[in-house]
Amino acid sequence: MKDISEMTLKEKNSLYIQQKKEIERLKNINKKLEEKLFLNHESNQFHEENIIVDFLSESCIRNKNKKVEAKILFEAFKKWLSSKGIDNRMKNRTFYSVLLEEGLSKKKGTKNKLFIYGLEWKYASKTDN
């Protein structure tokens, strides 16, 4: 390829048009990839919410007068995932935010422990109230 200073005006125009088309092509590819990434993210969020709802229905009972220690609940969730053969990459903050979206609340209790209000264990062995 010639140095740009050696090109004729027609060659420079042609090069400019080629570059402009390439930029548009790359923008379209980028847009499609962003859409795909967004859809994957949305699908993943939906999947996480479903998994947590399944865990809650198997392990807990909704009871507005009860509370469960958040750390213990999250640890139980991780064990439950493991027992189902599901790889856990979810952080506790994500877990807690889904619980809040499900209408539960979280508050600090005694000894600075965090509690999820509105749940109790189905099985007495996990009781921490």
Side-chain angles (χ1 to χ4, degrees), residues 63-99:
N63 183 338
K64 65 181 180 176
N65 299 318
K66 297 289 185 173
K67 65 183 180 183
V68 175
E69 187 179 338
K71 183 178 179 182
I72 293 172
L73 184 64
F74 185 64
E75 291 300 318
F77 173 68
K78 291 193 309 188
K79 287 179 185 172
W80 180 84
L81 285 175
S82 181
S83 74
K84 300 285 184 191
I86 301 171
D87 184 31
N88 177 34
R89 293 193 178 115
M90 189 182 304
K91 304 288 184 205
N92 61 353
R93 287 185 182 194
T94 304
F95 178 74
Y96 299 145
S97 69
V98 171
L99 295 179

Side-chain angles (χ1 to χ4, degrees), residues 10 115 125:
K10 187 176 182 180
F115 288 91
S125 64

Side-chain angles (χ1 to χ4, degrees), residues 99-127:
L99 295 179
L100 296 177
E101 289 172 13
E102 287 296 312
L104 302 169
S105 62
K106 68 177 183 173
K107 296 178 189 166
K108 292 235 176 178
T110 57
K111 298 181 183 176
N112 214 23
K113 289 183 179 180
L114 186 64
F115 288 91
I116 303 298
Y117 286 78
L119 286 178
E120 69 176 306
W121 293 111
K122 278 188 179 178
Y123 309 104
S125 64
K126 294 182 181 177
T127 302

Side-chain angles (χ1 to χ4, degrees), residues 8-20:
T8 66
L9 185 57
K10 187 176 182 180
E11 290 171 323
K12 287 179 186 177
N13 257 352
S14 177
L15 179 62
Y16 172 76
I17 291 169
Q18 286 174 348
Q19 289 175 338
K20 195 170 180 178

